[in-house]
Amino acid sequence: MGVPQGSVLSPLLFNFFVNDIASSAQIDNSFADDFQGASSAVNPAKIAVDLELAAAELSNQAKEHGLSLSAPKLTVTLFTPWNKEFGRLPAVALEGDVIPQHNNPKLLGVALDPAFTFSSHATSIARKASSRLNVIRALSDSSYGHDKECLTAMFKSLVRPLLDYAAPVVYPNYSVSAIRRLQVVQNRSLRLITGCHSAASVDHLHSECGVLPVEKHNTLPGLFSRATSRLKL
């Protein structure tokens, strides 16, 4: 519709443009061109029927706006505490085509999973953060920028934002193994910063760099929120 792609205002203008779409009770969340529909029921067949009706309604409203749904990006996921039901949602079709089921869809950069453990999100984040360690590794071996303060700042600007992404939402659901996965990446970063060998104490690494462990760092937003609530009372 003539909105330049990549512009800072493009998502906001597009939200205005599609603001009257998603009037269905099932289509309850959207951001720019991403729409998410949801339905809750004991019987998965009832969920499938609701989502199919919502998808058809969304498709019709999109056409009225001169838009069309991106079929390759359509996915459906059944969230359930029973692992035997993972991926067993009855077929949901749109205009005769069955929408593929995906157990790990991404919503605004957060990888979801049927049981809301966010284990796949932790794995994805750890992989991305590990690839950024190459920058710290390159600087730590150079004759410039290799002091501890500079490398720590590099860690906080390149690696820590990934470890912190959506932490207030995903961290309370992380398992011990997921937290450990992120902690391993942070430990590797701190060893590059300090030049310590692999047998060095993890507590020493954090003390030297003035960095909190992943578990303690990610509990801070919750502690701050509770402290703010007490002050308001």
Side-chain angles (χ1 to χ4, degrees):
M1 293 298 173
V3 178
Q5 191 170 14
S7 168
V8 176
L9 289 177
S10 293
L12 181 62
L13 295 175
F14 193 85
N15 278 334
F16 286 144
F17 182 71
V18 298
N19 186 52
D20 56 340
I21 296 183
S23 58
S24 168
Q26 278 72 45
I27 307 171
D28 57 0
N29 193 11
S30 66
F31 178 78
D33 60 343
D34 289 329
F35 288 85
Q36 294 81 42
S39 177
S40 177
V42 175
N43 188 355
K46 172 68 167 54
I47 298 176
V49 172
D50 290 342
L51 293 181
E52 192 164 303
L53 292 174
E57 180 182 349
L58 179 60
S59 178
N60 292 333
Q61 293 188 47
K63 290 177 180 177
E64 292 176 359
H65 286 67
L67 305 172
S68 60
L69 300 185
S70 178
K73 294 183 179 180
L74 295 177
T75 60
V76 61
T77 306
L78 177 64
F79 296 99
T80 171
W82 190 22
N83 57 8
K84 291 187 178 180
E85 287 187 332
F86 291 178
R88 292 191 175 182
L89 183 69
V92 178
L94 175 63
E95 298 179 355
D97 295 327
V98 177
I99 301 175
Q101 295 193 37
H102 187 25
N103 284 343
N104 298 114
K106 277 196 172 184
L107 177 59
L108 299 180
V110 177
L112 306 177
D113 57 87
F116 280 119
T117 62
F118 296 101
S119 59
S120 58
H121 178 72
T123 301
S124 174
I125 290 298
R127 188 182 303 113
K128 290 180 180 179
S130 295
S131 64
R132 295 190 178 185
L133 296 185
N134 294 329
V135 178
I136 300 177
R137 185 178 292 108
L139 287 177
S140 64
D141 294 335
S142 66
S143 59
Y144 60 92
H146 60 279
D147 57 280
K148 184 176 63 177
E149 289 74 16
C150 177
L151 294 177
T152 302
M154 187 69 66
F155 162 76
K156 291 180 178 179
S157 62
L158 289 180
V159 180
R160 173 52 67 77
L162 288 178
L163 303 181
D164 290 349
Y165 185 76
V169 176
V170 301
Y171 177 75
N173 298 281
Y174 273 162
S175 62
V176 175
S177 59
I179 297 174
R180 187 183 302 116
R181 197 173 297 128
L182 301 181
Q183 184 63 58
V184 167
V185 177
Q186 180 164 298
N187 293 345
R188 290 170 56 194
S189 302
L190 301 184
R191 288 192 176 95
L192 289 172
I193 292 171
T194 59
C196 293
H197 52 74
S198 58
S201 169
V202 174
D203 292 336
H204 169 73
L205 297 175
H206 290 82
S207 178
E208 279 291 311
C209 298
V211 175
L212 288 173
V214 172
E215 184 174 6
K216 292 183 178 180
H217 178 80
N218 285 328
T219 56
L220 289 179
L223 293 174
F224 177 76
S225 176
R226 287 194 290 272
T228 304
S229 298
R230 292 192 187 100
L231 289 176
K232 289 181 178 179
L233 291 175

